Amino acid sequence: MGCPGQCWDKCGGLGAMLSCPHLISLHPRSVPGKRLHGPHLTAEERSEASGGVGNSQSHSCHSRLWASFQDCPQRRCSWRPACRGKRGAAEGSGELQSLGLRTAGLGSPGLAPTSGLKKMQSSLRLVDCTIEVHDARIPLSGRNPLFQETLGLKPHLLVLNKMDLADLKEQQKIIQHLEREGLKHVVFTNCVKDENVKQIIPMVTELVGSSHRYHRGEHVEYCIMVIGVPNVGKSSLINSLRRQHLRKGKATRVGGEPGITRAVMSRIQVCERPLMFLLDTPGVLAPRIPSVETGLKLALCGTVLDHLVGEETLADYLLYTLNRHQLLGYVQHYGLGEACDDIASVLKRVAVKLRKTQKVKVLTGTGDVNIIQPDYPAAARDFLRAFRSGLLGPVMLDRDLLQGRPAEEP
């Protein structure tokens, strides 16, 4: 079938890529104590590095491999350096397709997406409407298509949350694009500061009032199910609605990482007039991510735990995205002086500025020597934290899709 790199964006098979004769190198941290080179891998090393493709329990082993396809003649890399001629931000494509994202649908490890959807579907007879919450930084990508297929019988409202972190200069284009997909009811919110949250109850009331409630018609109260991928603010939305309409505090736990909500909860009242209850649900990813770049966008927004992808891999793609769209807030934030597309150089300067260093023991001919080197993972974590908290400025990760061109130029 030719070079396996040719079908990377379609199947993302790590096992096939490990057998690719053009594979240049693997990340030195992928297997402790070894530096692996693709063309020289033995069968045992390939098996050890891949951790068994298709086994959902082996994500932590093979998810951190960083395969470089810079010199592969038939590769189809998902992202490229912001400045031509430099090998920096695009010197490898993160293995999102093989990270276990196919089976990490619920926030809780080991629980398949279909399991979460079945639990939601079993509660559907108690529901009048569904509110789908998604991240406003990726309004056009990363949503779970199975929601519409499985829960599409009920009226639907799309809430694009975290609007304060998104660059919404082209908000009208986003709405028009979603309308073409059949999503006519969309609202942008910031649940931390309760922005636009008051629009939701009237919209839901209108949607339910104009639809057939079937066996729910005899019930006075409305019951709404809140759905979405992990860590987009579903629980925050419920708490925000309670603050706005009931003047009450938190009813559900929230956090900055996926997996806080692990089960379909009992009904939570959010309004008295009309009497309305919401069902909080765990985040459910699509069983298959359509492309590596979509997976990286989801990971940047925190829908999966960072260590499953690799903090440095995510930081690399983030740097590429910021440079590509000329969003150079990171230069001022970290005092770098100028933009750079080499992630190793950026992380080194970030680590030095933040004094994030680590001692490493080196064996020499005269004995052990302790040297101090930058803590690259810690610097990468701070880079991602700054992005997610808005310190690098508002970002629209789906800008290419809004402008009607593919993510990578020919």
Side-chain angles (χ1 to χ4, degrees):
M1 78 182 196
C3 172
Q6 190 171 5
C7 63
W8 174 254
D9 285 335
K10 296 181 180 178
C11 66
L14 181 62
M17 294 310 249
L18 286 173
S19 63
C20 174
H22 304 290
L23 186 60
I24 305 305
S25 64
L26 299 176
H27 198 287
R29 298 187 191 88
S30 59
V31 178
K34 295 186 180 182
R35 181 169 182 89
L36 302 177
H37 295 274
H40 310 297
L41 288 177
T42 66
E44 292 181 356
E45 287 171 333
R46 285 175 184 160
S47 176
E48 182 180 1
S50 65
V53 175
N55 183 354
S56 61
Q57 302 301 320
S58 62
H59 304 158
S60 60
C61 174
H62 68 254
S63 64
R64 302 197 59 165
L65 297 180
W66 184 334
S68 174
F69 308 109
Q70 188 68 24
D71 302 322
C72 177
Q74 300 187 53
R75 70 181 175 88
R76 291 186 179 180
C77 209
S78 292
W79 35 288
R80 306 188 317 205
C83 305
R84 297 184 182 275
K86 292 185 179 182
R87 296 181 59 156
E91 194 169 341
S93 178
E95 275 82 340
L96 259 292
Q97 292 297 77
S98 58
L99 296 183
L101 292 186
R102 300 183 186 123
T103 57
L106 290 181
S108 51
L111 199 54
T114 52
S115 174
L117 283 172
K118 285 179 180 177
K119 291 181 179 179
M120 294 180 196
Q121 199 170 22
S122 64
S123 302
L124 201 59
R125 60 185 179 82
L126 306 174
V127 171
D128 296 301
C129 177
T130 58
I131 296 178
E132 181 181 355
V133 185
H134 198 59
D135 198 306
R137 292 169 291 184
I138 46 173
L140 308 182
S141 58
R143 292 172 53 239
N144 190 340
L146 294 182
F147 285 145
Q148 193 65 22
E149 297 175 15
T150 309
L151 311 174
L153 296 174
K154 301 292 182 176
H156 177 274
L157 172 65
L158 177 62
V159 174
L160 294 174
N161 194 30
K162 305 183 182 181
M163 60 179 289
D164 55 314
L165 304 178
D167 183 359
L168 297 179
K169 294 177 183 177
E170 298 181 294
Q171 180 174 339
Q172 198 58 39
K173 278 189 178 181
I174 296 173
I175 295 174
Q176 292 172 358
H177 196 288
L178 293 171
E179 283 180 349
R180 288 195 294 270
E181 295 181 0
L183 298 167
K184 298 181 180 180
H185 307 286
V186 182
V187 59
F188 291 82
T189 64
N190 172 12
C191 292
V192 175
K193 296 184 178 179
D194 299 334
E195 293 182 56
N196 294 346
V197 174
K198 283 189 175 181
Q199 299 179 21
I200 294 177
I201 296 297
M203 292 181 72
V204 169
T205 303
E206 183 180 350
L207 281 172
V208 175
S210 60
S211 65
H212 295 289
R213 298 185 69 192
Y214 301 104
H215 60 280
R216 291 277 307 160
E218 60 187 29
H219 295 271
V220 177
E221 78 281 359
Y222 294 159
C223 186
I224 315 299
M225 180 180 288
V226 182
I227 60 176
V229 299
N231 200 30
V232 290
K234 296 181 292 297
S235 298
S236 297
L237 175 63
I238 292 177
N239 292 332
S240 178
L241 287 170
R242 283 174 61 84
R243 285 195 301 269
Q244 289 284 307
H245 298 280
L246 297 179
R247 306 298 178 188
K248 293 186 178 180
K250 293 182 180 179
T252 61
R253 283 202 312 137
V254 297
E257 62 182 32
I260 300 298
T261 304
R262 294 177 176 267
V264 178
M265 298 180 62
S266 58
R267 301 193 310 172
I268 302 170
Q269 184 179 354
V270 295
C271 187
E272 287 183 348
R273 296 181 182 178
L275 185 58
M276 188 174 295
F277 296 85
L278 264 62
L279 285 177
D280 196 8
T281 63
V284 180
L285 283 171
R288 183 171 181 82
I289 307 300
S291 69
V292 173
E293 187 144 17
T294 298
L296 284 166
K297 289 178 182 179
L298 284 166
L300 270 184
C301 293
T303 62
V304 293
L305 296 173
D306 289 345
H307 72 270
L308 295 178
V309 182
E311 291 92 346
E312 293 171 68
T313 301
L314 284 177
D316 198 346
Y317 177 69
L318 173 59
L319 179 64
Y320 161 76
T321 302
L322 296 175
N323 286 338
R324 176 181 172 85
H325 299 309
Q326 295 297 305
L327 302 173
L328 307 181
Y330 72 93
V331 177
Q332 182 178 358
H333 179 70
Y334 289 111
L336 301 182
E338 62 179 358
C340 177
D341 74 334
D342 185 353
I343 188 60
S345 175
V346 170
L347 292 183
K348 181 178 180 181
R349 291 155 74 180
V350 169
V352 171
K353 178 179 176 61
L354 301 178
R355 297 181 180 180
K356 294 184 180 294
T357 57
Q358 56 186 357
K359 289 184 178 181
V360 179
K361 185 177 291 186
V362 179
L363 180 62
T364 66
T366 58
D368 294 345
V369 176
N370 290 326
I371 63 173
I372 298 177
Q373 68 178 21
D375 190 342
Y376 290 98
R381 286 192 292 271
D382 191 87
F383 192 33
L384 294 173
R385 180 197 57 79
F387 162 72
R388 289 167 180 164
S389 58
L391 297 177
L392 307 184
V395 178
M396 175 53 63
L397 297 176
D398 279 344
R399 181 180 292 185
D400 291 313
L401 298 177
L402 283 173
Q403 295 175 350
R405 66 170 184 258
E408 59 173 357
E409 299 173 357

